[in-house]
Amino acid sequence: MVTKLAEKQQSSPSAGGKSATKWIMTLLSSSIGQKFVMGITGLLLCGFLVVHLAGNLLVYVGADAYNNYAKELHSMMLLPVAETGLFLLLFAHIALAFKLTSDNRKARQITYHEKQSKIQEPPSIFGRTPMGRTSSWMFISGSIILIFLIMHMIDMKLHLNPTVDYKDQSPYGIIVQVLGSVLSAPIYIVGTLVLGFHLSHGFWSAFQSLGLNHPKYTPWIKKLAILFAIVIAAGFVSLPLWGFFIR
């Protein structure tokens, strides 16, 4: 009896690991599971936006405040781990967005062909349902945000913006040049406005994907989503406006 119990205990970690892997694969193989993960990653990325915006708004306090913030941030030992986790979150969110968008398009095509085979009626002039159009706009806005994010990394991480002099510059000096650049400022303004549109739908949709929807609370979540989108977009768009027009 003791021997069998010991053998069971020794095999349990491996079995537990296999069970966890199987559970994750099962979760990601279904559309409901993919939407669930999409919602979690989306809300976590929203949390990052809040923290990132709070740090960037320190430029209004002054050069010393922003430089100290940047110094403390980059001196964190766990920063590479946090950046890797953020990249994985973003990658998972983008990959699932492509997957779900592709599946939705295939499903709409199948439904359309089934209807055509049963009832010969002319196609709608719109060609898509309101949900389909919303999904398409979310995919388009997400793609624009991805391009904007790549350009932001080129500006602030890789230091490859040709209009910015990075040599012997403090973090404050770099961000002031980037935000005040004729090339970058319009891109940052458009990018943050598109981000606001994406958040206005994506924030409440994430709660719906997690199954947290209720006739009583969902309208309030939608209003909160719009408010959240406005605050985030206004906060970020104020930075290039300050850098380009006011500074």
PDB file of all heavy atoms in Angstrom, residues 212-231:
ATOM      1  N   LEU A 212     -18.746  37.577 -18.338  1.00  0.00           N
ATOM      2  CA  LEU A 212     -19.211  38.532 -17.321  1.00  0.00           C
ATOM      3  C   LEU A 212     -20.172  39.536 -17.936  1.00  0.00           C
ATOM      4  O   LEU A 212     -19.966  40.750 -17.889  1.00  0.00           O
ATOM      5  CB  LEU A 212     -18.017  39.254 -16.693  1.00  0.00           C
ATOM      6  CG  LEU A 212     -16.967  38.343 -16.047  1.00  0.00           C
ATOM      7  CD1 LEU A 212     -15.780  39.155 -15.559  1.00  0.00           C
ATOM      8  CD2 LEU A 212     -17.583  37.564 -14.882  1.00  0.00           C
ATOM      9  N   ASN A 213     -21.218  39.015 -18.557  1.00  0.00           N
ATOM     10  CA  ASN A 213     -22.219  39.894 -19.158  1.00  0.00           C
ATOM     11  C   ASN A 213     -23.580  39.645 -18.504  1.00  0.00           C
ATOM     12  O   ASN A 213     -23.957  38.510 -18.212  1.00  0.00           O
ATOM     13  CB  ASN A 213     -22.301  39.674 -20.670  1.00  0.00           C
ATOM     14  CG  ASN A 213     -22.557  38.217 -21.023  1.00  0.00           C
ATOM     15  OD1 ASN A 213     -22.138  37.319 -20.305  1.00  0.00           O
ATOM     16  ND2 ASN A 213     -23.248  37.985 -22.123  1.00  0.00           N
ATOM     17  N   HIS A 214     -24.281  40.732 -18.248  1.00  0.00           N
ATOM     18  CA  HIS A 214     -25.571  40.657 -17.573  1.00  0.00           C
ATOM     19  C   HIS A 214     -26.407  41.846 -18.044  1.00  0.00           C
ATOM     20  O   HIS A 214     -25.879  42.959 -18.195  1.00  0.00           O
ATOM     21  CB  HIS A 214     -25.367  40.710 -16.043  1.00  0.00           C
ATOM     22  CG  HIS A 214     -26.605  40.443 -15.261  1.00  0.00           C
ATOM     23  ND1 HIS A 214     -27.542  41.418 -14.988  1.00  0.00           N
ATOM     24  CD2 HIS A 214     -27.074  39.292 -14.691  1.00  0.00           C
ATOM     25  CE1 HIS A 214     -28.524  40.896 -14.273  1.00  0.00           C
ATOM     26  NE2 HIS A 214     -28.267  39.619 -14.084  1.00  0.00           N
ATOM     27  N   PRO A 215     -27.688  41.641 -18.299  1.00  0.00           N
ATOM     28  CA  PRO A 215     -28.534  42.748 -18.784  1.00  0.00           C
ATOM     29  C   PRO A 215     -28.491  43.986 -17.893  1.00  0.00           C
ATOM     30  O   PRO A 215     -28.644  45.105 -18.376  1.00  0.00           O
ATOM     31  CB  PRO A 215     -29.939  42.122 -18.798  1.00  0.00           C
ATOM     32  CG  PRO A 215     -29.708  40.661 -18.954  1.00  0.00           C
ATOM     33  CD  PRO A 215     -28.429  40.381 -18.202  1.00  0.00           C
ATOM     34  N   LYS A 216     -28.248  43.773 -16.612  1.00  0.00           N
ATOM     35  CA  LYS A 216     -28.231  44.893 -15.678  1.00  0.00           C
ATOM     36  C   LYS A 216     -26.902  45.634 -15.674  1.00  0.00           C
ATOM     37  O   LYS A 216     -26.865  46.871 -15.543  1.00  0.00           O
ATOM     38  CB  LYS A 216     -28.537  44.380 -14.261  1.00  0.00           C
ATOM     39  CG  LYS A 216     -28.626  45.480 -13.212  1.00  0.00           C
ATOM     40  CD  LYS A 216     -28.985  44.904 -11.858  1.00  0.00           C
ATOM     41  CE  LYS A 216     -29.083  45.998 -10.790  1.00  0.00           C
ATOM     42  NZ  LYS A 216     -29.439  45.443  -9.458  1.00  0.00           N
ATOM     43  N   TYR A 217     -25.798  44.880 -15.832  1.00  0.00           N
ATOM     44  CA  TYR A 217     -24.470  45.484 -15.675  1.00  0.00           C
ATOM     45  C   TYR A 217     -23.766  45.784 -16.999  1.00  0.00           C
ATOM     46  O   TYR A 217     -22.901  46.661 -17.048  1.00  0.00           O
ATOM     47  CB  TYR A 217     -23.582  44.567 -14.831  1.00  0.00           C
ATOM     48  CG  TYR A 217     -24.149  44.251 -13.478  1.00  0.00           C
ATOM     49  CD1 TYR A 217     -24.557  42.962 -13.148  1.00  0.00           C
ATOM     50  CD2 TYR A 217     -24.297  45.253 -12.524  1.00  0.00           C
ATOM     51  CE1 TYR A 217     -25.093  42.675 -11.902  1.00  0.00           C
ATOM     52  CE2 TYR A 217     -24.829  44.980 -11.273  1.00  0.00           C
ATOM     53  CZ  TYR A 217     -25.229  43.689 -10.969  1.00  0.00           C
ATOM     54  OH  TYR A 217     -25.764  43.415  -9.731  1.00  0.00           O
ATOM     55  N   THR A 218     -24.115  45.071 -18.067  1.00  0.00           N
ATOM     56  CA  THR A 218     -23.428  45.262 -19.339  1.00  0.00           C
ATOM     57  C   THR A 218     -23.535  46.696 -19.859  1.00  0.00           C
ATOM     58  O   THR A 218     -22.534  47.244 -20.345  1.00  0.00           O
ATOM     59  CB  THR A 218     -23.960  44.265 -20.386  1.00  0.00           C
ATOM     60  OG1 THR A 218     -23.683  42.927 -19.947  1.00  0.00           O
ATOM     61  CG2 THR A 218     -23.295  44.495 -21.733  1.00  0.00           C
ATOM     62  N   PRO A 219     -24.715  47.352 -19.785  1.00  0.00           N
ATOM     63  CA  PRO A 219     -24.773  48.754 -20.230  1.00  0.00           C
ATOM     64  C   PRO A 219     -23.799  49.657 -19.483  1.00  0.00           C
ATOM     65  O   PRO A 219     -23.211  50.574 -20.074  1.00  0.00           O
ATOM     66  CB  PRO A 219     -26.231  49.154 -19.954  1.00  0.00           C
ATOM     67  CG  PRO A 219     -26.984  47.872 -20.008  1.00  0.00           C
ATOM     68  CD  PRO A 219     -26.055  46.853 -19.416  1.00  0.00           C
ATOM     69  N   TRP A 220     -23.607  49.401 -18.177  1.00  0.00           N
ATOM     70  CA  TRP A 220     -22.661  50.204 -17.402  1.00  0.00           C
ATOM     71  C   TRP A 220     -21.222  49.888 -17.799  1.00  0.00           C
ATOM     72  O   TRP A 220     -20.365  50.784 -17.820  1.00  0.00           O
ATOM     73  CB  TRP A 220     -22.870  49.953 -15.917  1.00  0.00           C
ATOM     74  CG  TRP A 220     -24.125  50.571 -15.387  1.00  0.00           C
ATOM     75  CD1 TRP A 220     -25.312  49.954 -15.139  1.00  0.00           C
ATOM     76  CD2 TRP A 220     -24.328  51.963 -15.090  1.00  0.00           C
ATOM     77  NE1 TRP A 220     -26.244  50.859 -14.680  1.00  0.00           N
ATOM     78  CE2 TRP A 220     -25.672  52.098 -14.631  1.00  0.00           C
ATOM     79  CE3 TRP A 220     -23.515  53.088 -15.141  1.00  0.00           C
ATOM     80  CZ2 TRP A 220     -26.199  53.322 -14.253  1.00  0.00           C
ATOM     81  CZ3 TRP A 220     -24.051  54.315 -14.757  1.00  0.00           C
ATOM     82  CH2 TRP A 220     -25.371  54.426 -14.328  1.00  0.00           C
ATOM     83  N   ILE A 221     -20.960  48.631 -18.118  1.00  0.00           N
ATOM     84  CA  ILE A 221     -19.615  48.252 -18.570  1.00  0.00           C
ATOM     85  C   ILE A 221     -19.304  48.925 -19.902  1.00  0.00           C
ATOM     86  O   ILE A 221     -18.179  49.377 -20.130  1.00  0.00           O
ATOM     87  CB  ILE A 221     -19.497  46.719 -18.694  1.00  0.00           C
ATOM     88  CG1 ILE A 221     -19.623  46.067 -17.314  1.00  0.00           C
ATOM     89  CG2 ILE A 221     -18.173  46.325 -19.332  1.00  0.00           C
ATOM     90  CD1 ILE A 221     -19.613  44.554 -17.347  1.00  0.00           C
ATOM     91  N   LYS A 222     -20.304  49.020 -20.778  1.00  0.00           N
ATOM     92  CA  LYS A 222     -20.104  49.694 -22.068  1.00  0.00           C
ATOM     93  C   LYS A 222     -19.809  51.187 -21.864  1.00  0.00           C
ATOM     94  O   LYS A 222     -18.952  51.760 -22.549  1.00  0.00           O
ATOM     95  CB  LYS A 222     -21.336  49.513 -22.952  1.00  0.00           C
ATOM     96  CG  LYS A 222     -21.518  48.093 -23.469  1.00  0.00           C
ATOM     97  CD  LYS A 222     -22.709  48.000 -24.408  1.00  0.00           C
ATOM     98  CE  LYS A 222     -22.845  46.605 -24.985  1.00  0.00           C
ATOM     99  NZ  LYS A 222     -23.988  46.493 -25.921  1.00  0.00           N
ATOM    100  N   LYS A 223     -20.522  51.805 -20.926  1.00  0.00           N
ATOM    101  CA  LYS A 223     -20.257  53.214 -20.625  1.00  0.00           C
ATOM    102  C   LYS A 223     -18.870  53.386 -20.016  1.00  0.00           C
ATOM    103  O   LYS A 223     -18.151  54.343 -20.346  1.00  0.00           O
ATOM    104  CB  LYS A 223     -21.315  53.755 -19.668  1.00  0.00           C
ATOM    105  CG  LYS A 223     -22.707  53.845 -20.280  1.00  0.00           C
ATOM    106  CD  LYS A 223     -23.723  54.329 -19.266  1.00  0.00           C
ATOM    107  CE  LYS A 223     -25.124  54.389 -19.879  1.00  0.00           C
ATOM    108  NZ  LYS A 223     -26.139  54.827 -18.901  1.00  0.00           N
ATOM    109  N   LEU A 224     -18.491  52.457 -19.150  1.00  0.00           N
ATOM    110  CA  LEU A 224     -17.150  52.493 -18.558  1.00  0.00           C
ATOM    111  C   LEU A 224     -16.088  52.316 -19.631  1.00  0.00           C
ATOM    112  O   LEU A 224     -15.029  52.951 -19.575  1.00  0.00           O
ATOM    113  CB  LEU A 224     -17.020  51.392 -17.497  1.00  0.00           C
ATOM    114  CG  LEU A 224     -15.652  51.256 -16.822  1.00  0.00           C
ATOM    115  CD1 LEU A 224     -15.313  52.529 -16.050  1.00  0.00           C
ATOM    116  CD2 LEU A 224     -15.627  50.045 -15.885  1.00  0.00           C
ATOM    117  N   ALA A 225     -16.374  51.467 -20.620  1.00  0.00           N
ATOM    118  CA  ALA A 225     -15.428  51.239 -21.720  1.00  0.00           C
ATOM    119  C   ALA A 225     -15.195  52.518 -22.516  1.00  0.00           C
ATOM    120  O   ALA A 225     -14.058  52.846 -22.881  1.00  0.00           O
ATOM    121  CB  ALA A 225     -15.949  50.133 -22.640  1.00  0.00           C
ATOM    122  N   ILE A 226     -16.280  53.246 -22.786  1.00  0.00           N
ATOM    123  CA  ILE A 226     -16.154  54.508 -23.527  1.00  0.00           C
ATOM    124  C   ILE A 226     -15.360  55.528 -22.715  1.00  0.00           C
ATOM    125  O   ILE A 226     -14.485  56.228 -23.244  1.00  0.00           O
ATOM    126  CB  ILE A 226     -17.547  55.061 -23.881  1.00  0.00           C
ATOM    127  CG1 ILE A 226     -18.249  54.110 -24.868  1.00  0.00           C
ATOM    128  CG2 ILE A 226     -17.435  56.457 -24.478  1.00  0.00           C
ATOM    129  CD1 ILE A 226     -19.680  54.499 -25.176  1.00  0.00           C
ATOM    130  N   LEU A 227     -15.659  55.595 -21.415  1.00  0.00           N
ATOM    131  CA  LEU A 227     -14.926  56.518 -20.552  1.00  0.00           C
ATOM    132  C   LEU A 227     -13.448  56.148 -20.490  1.00  0.00           C
ATOM    133  O   LEU A 227     -12.577  57.023 -20.583  1.00  0.00           O
ATOM    134  CB  LEU A 227     -15.532  56.496 -19.142  1.00  0.00           C
ATOM    135  CG  LEU A 227     -14.838  57.375 -18.095  1.00  0.00           C
ATOM    136  CD1 LEU A 227     -14.890  58.843 -18.495  1.00  0.00           C
ATOM    137  CD2 LEU A 227     -15.474  57.164 -16.719  1.00  0.00           C
ATOM    138  N   PHE A 228     -13.161  54.854 -20.346  1.00  0.00           N
ATOM    139  CA  PHE A 228     -11.782  54.383 -20.301  1.00  0.00           C
ATOM    140  C   PHE A 228     -11.058  54.718 -21.596  1.00  0.00           C
ATOM    141  O   PHE A 228      -9.911  55.187 -21.589  1.00  0.00           O
ATOM    142  CB  PHE A 228     -11.763  52.875 -20.055  1.00  0.00           C
ATOM    143  CG  PHE A 228     -10.387  52.274 -20.043  1.00  0.00           C
ATOM    144  CD1 PHE A 228      -9.560  52.416 -18.940  1.00  0.00           C
ATOM    145  CD2 PHE A 228      -9.908  51.558 -21.134  1.00  0.00           C
ATOM    146  CE1 PHE A 228      -8.289  51.856 -18.916  1.00  0.00           C
ATOM    147  CE2 PHE A 228      -8.643  51.002 -21.125  1.00  0.00           C
ATOM    148  CZ  PHE A 228      -7.827  51.147 -20.016  1.00  0.00           C
ATOM    149  N   ALA A 229     -11.730  54.496 -22.728  1.00  0.00           N
ATOM    150  CA  ALA A 229     -11.124  54.771 -24.032  1.00  0.00           C
ATOM    151  C   ALA A 229     -10.817  56.265 -24.193  1.00  0.00           C
ATOM    152  O   ALA A 229      -9.750  56.639 -24.701  1.00  0.00           O
ATOM    153  CB  ALA A 229     -12.055  54.302 -25.145  1.00  0.00           C
ATOM    154  N   ILE A 230     -11.747  57.103 -23.742  1.00  0.00           N
ATOM    155  CA  ILE A 230     -11.545  58.552 -23.860  1.00  0.00           C
ATOM    156  C   ILE A 230     -10.373  59.005 -23.005  1.00  0.00           C
ATOM    157  O   ILE A 230      -9.525  59.810 -23.451  1.00  0.00           O
ATOM    158  CB  ILE A 230     -12.831  59.302 -23.460  1.00  0.00           C
ATOM    159  CG1 ILE A 230     -13.933  59.061 -24.498  1.00  0.00           C
ATOM    160  CG2 ILE A 230     -12.561  60.804 -23.320  1.00  0.00           C
ATOM    161  CD1 ILE A 230     -15.278  59.653 -24.110  1.00  0.00           C
ATOM    162  N   VAL A 231     -10.301  58.519 -21.765  1.00  0.00           N
ATOM    163  CA  VAL A 231      -9.218  58.920 -20.856  1.00  0.00           C
ATOM    164  C   VAL A 231      -7.860  58.488 -21.395  1.00  0.00           C
ATOM    165  O   VAL A 231      -6.905  59.280 -21.427  1.00  0.00           O
ATOM    166  CB  VAL A 231      -9.452  58.320 -19.451  1.00  0.00           C
ATOM    167  CG1 VAL A 231      -8.224  58.533 -18.569  1.00  0.00           C
ATOM    168  CG2 VAL A 231     -10.677  58.949 -18.802  1.00  0.00           C
TER     169      VAL A 231
END
